[in-house]
Amino acid sequence: MKKPAILVARAIFPQTLDFLSQHFEVESNQTDEVWDAVELTRRLNGKAGALTTGSERIDGALLQANPQLKIIANMAVGFNNFDIPAMTAAGVLATNTPDVLTDTTADFGFALLMATARRVSESEHFLRAGKWTKWRYDMFAGAEVHGSTLGIIGMGRIGQGIARRGAFGFGMKVVYHNRSQLSPQLEAECKATYVSKEVLLKTADHVVLVVPYSAESHHTIGANELGMMKSTATLVNIARGGIVDDAALAHALAGGQIAAAGLDVFEGEPVVNEALLKVPNVVLTPHIASATTKTRLAMAQLAADNLVSYFTQGRALTPVNQVAIMG
Ligand code: DGY
């Protein structure tokens, strides 16, 4: 029987490609260029499925040009690159990669919080620039992490992982804000207390953002919210670009309105707001929160397993929409 044709839109692990080749006719992106909409639409021609990353936008126009498409498996837990209503209307199944990256991403959230509060990047740059000539009592004095108040906005699996690390590893008082309050049991497991966004911003020493991107969460943190935060506070964004108004943040950092920020995601990434590049009190990383070899392999494998499961059993393992499956 002829194998279904699929597109792998970006470079992935060779072993994942080998696995996919056992089940599919695979066209893969050998150069790892991020294809624009025109090229992606053209490459999808004749393909029944695709493996994408967060860099590929799947929208109505692309789906209209490829009515043969059945499934697109995103190698990411976030899927804001997918127009889900358009995919559902076109009968195209969307899948993501939850769970396999939860702890790795929570680890990184904590790493970024520590690096930001304790001024790791700023002090390393100082040392590398040959500026370290003597010890000084207040040199790179940062904010305390243990015993401080951790505020988490977005209390899904990753947010809960960060709460556990803060509460049990660092004796932090954890407050959170989320669309819905967690069950009393989960709150107890995370040692976390539900508060309004305003109370969180006003009381937290460290604010970590783990909320999915949507029209509603756009600029969850802007000038107004930054104005509510303590002048000693740190802000960490491992969620998505666009959750923070990056221009407003750069302004707040330059003016000392908050102490520091740690950012793994950016509005318009991979381009980074020039003003952010100029302020010293921000730690910047290139969207690597889930980047351990083990976790990225697990994400690629889950995306591949979703494709195989769909074509062999008519159902995906981790779907994010519901479509009628044609036989
Ligand atoms: C995710 O899984 O959503 C990460 O941000 C990687 O893209």
Side-chain angles (χ1 to χ4, degrees):
M1 213 175 73
K2 203 164 173 295
K3 294 179 190 169
I6 64 157
L7 180 72
V8 176
R10 294 290 306 282
I12 55 167
F13 294 94
Q15 55 266 55
T16 318
L17 267 187
D18 288 347
F19 170 78
L20 284 168
S21 301
Q22 291 165 27
H23 301 270
F24 303 107
E25 287 302 326
V26 180
E27 177 184 343
S28 66
N29 183 342
Q30 301 291 330
T31 62
D32 197 34
E33 263 172 59
V34 181
W35 288 327
D36 64 14
V38 174
E39 186 63 6
L40 184 60
T41 303
R42 188 181 77 73
R43 299 272 185 172
L44 281 169
N45 224 267
K47 308 295 189 305
L51 190 153
T52 56
T53 69
S55 311
E56 290 74 47
R57 172 101 192 119
I58 306 298
D59 60 15
L62 175 143
L63 295 167
Q64 241 179 20
N66 285 285
Q68 80 292 342
L69 268 174
K70 301 262 182 277
I71 173 171
I72 304 197
N74 217 26
M75 185 185 149
V77 66
F79 48 87
N80 54 302
N81 55 316
F82 286 179
D83 181 339
I84 293 293
M87 290 179 77
T88 306
V92 175
L93 194 65
T95 70
N96 69 341
T97 58
D99 301 323
V100 292
L101 48 60
T102 300
D103 280 314
T104 303
T105 305
D107 283 351
F108 188 83
F110 226 87
L112 201 47
L113 191 163
M114 297 286 290
T116 305
R118 298 301 306 273
R119 306 176 66 178
V120 171
S121 294
E122 204 183 338
S123 60
E124 188 190 351
H125 285 131
F126 172 86
L127 181 151
R128 284 180 186 273
K131 294 181 182 167
W132 185 27
T133 54
K134 57 182 182 296
W135 184 92
R136 203 188 129 84
Y137 74 98
D138 62 349
M139 191 165 68
F140 295 106
E144 210 70 84
V145 174
H146 73 271
S148 63
T149 298
L150 171 62
I152 302 172
I153 299 185
M155 200 62 160
R157 286 163 286 217
I158 298 168
Q160 292 167 31
I162 292 171
R164 289 194 182 93
R165 282 159 178 76
F168 298 104
F170 290 80
M172 296 169 95
K173 175 182 173 197
V174 180
V175 293
Y176 76 97
H177 185 72
N178 197 43
R179 253 185 323 192
S180 50
Q181 191 169 347
L182 299 185
S183 68
Q185 189 193 333
L186 259 184
E187 284 190 342
E189 277 172 32
C190 297
K191 261 186 140 181
T193 306
Y194 182 84
V195 293
S196 68
K197 182 175 154 190
E198 190 174 334
V199 167
L200 185 148
L201 291 171
K202 286 183 173 162
T203 58
D205 298 304
H206 308 286
V207 176
V208 180
L209 304 169
V210 212
V211 70
Y213 183 81
S214 67
E216 295 79 59
S217 63
H218 182 75
H219 287 186
T220 295
I221 301 293
N224 192 30
E225 290 74 16
L226 290 160
M228 291 183 203
M229 291 174 66
K230 296 181 181 181
S231 60
T232 50
T234 57
L235 176 72
V236 170
N237 185 9
I238 56 163
R240 275 291 181 272
I243 302 285
V244 175
D245 177 342
D246 285 351
L249 175 61
H251 187 74
L253 288 166
Q257 207 172 2
I258 66 168
L263 306 174
D264 186 48
V265 286
F266 305 87
E267 288 189 290
E269 66 184 53
V271 177
V272 176
N273 186 309
E274 278 289 318
L276 278 176
L277 295 172
K278 289 192 182 122
V279 282
N281 46 341
V282 58
V283 181
L284 307 167
T285 53
H287 202 146
I288 57 167
S290 63
T292 64
T293 306
K294 186 176 169 205
T295 291
R296 285 284 165 87
L297 249 174
M299 291 164 69
Q301 189 60 44
L302 179 52
D305 287 343
N306 268 314
L307 290 165
V308 172
S309 174
Y310 175 85
F311 284 105
T312 57
Q313 290 164 49
R315 61 186 178 81
L317 305 174
T318 51
V320 294
N321 65 347
Q322 286 205 325
V323 298
I325 312 274
M326 306 294 173

